[in-house]
C-alpha cells in the first residue's frame, strides 16, 4: 500500500466483508429534510446547467457565420 492510501472494510453480512480504497469512496451528505426542497434544488440545478450550456451557442453561431 502506498503512502496516503487507506483501505476500509465493512462487515455487511455475517461472513461477507466489503473492502474499498479511499480513492474509490464516494460520500453524499444530505442536510435537506424536505423532499420538495430537494426536488426544487435539483430542478433549479438542471435549469442553471442548461442555461449555462446554451450561453455558448451565440458565439459558435457567430463564428460560423463569420467564416462563410
Amino acid at each position: 500500500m502506498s503512502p496516503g492510501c487507506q483501505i476500509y472494510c465493512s462487515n455487511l453480512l455475517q461472513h461477507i466483508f466489503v473492502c474499498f480504497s479511499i480513492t474509490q469512496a464516494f460520500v453524499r451528505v444530505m442536510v435537506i429534510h424536505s423532499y420538495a426542497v430537494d426536488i426544487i434544488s435539483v430542478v433549479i440545478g438542471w435549469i442553471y446547467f442548461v442555461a449555462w450550456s446554451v450561453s455558448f451557442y451565440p458565439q459558435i453561431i457567430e463564428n460560423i457565420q463569420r467564416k462563410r
Side-chain angles (χ1 to χ4, degrees), residues 11-58:
N11 186 0
L12 296 178
L13 299 173
Q14 203 168 21
H15 299 288
I16 299 175
F17 285 89
V18 176
C19 294
F20 57 92
S21 74
I22 193 69
T23 57
Q24 299 170 340
F26 176 78
V27 177
R28 182 177 181 185
V29 178
M30 300 264 316
V31 184
I32 299 172
H33 296 289
S34 171
Y35 183 72
V37 172
D38 186 34
I39 295 298
I40 291 169
S41 173
V42 169
V43 169
I44 290 174
W46 276 105
I47 290 171
Y48 178 82
F49 169 74
V50 169
W52 179 79
S53 299
V54 169
S55 71
F56 292 103
Y57 284 108

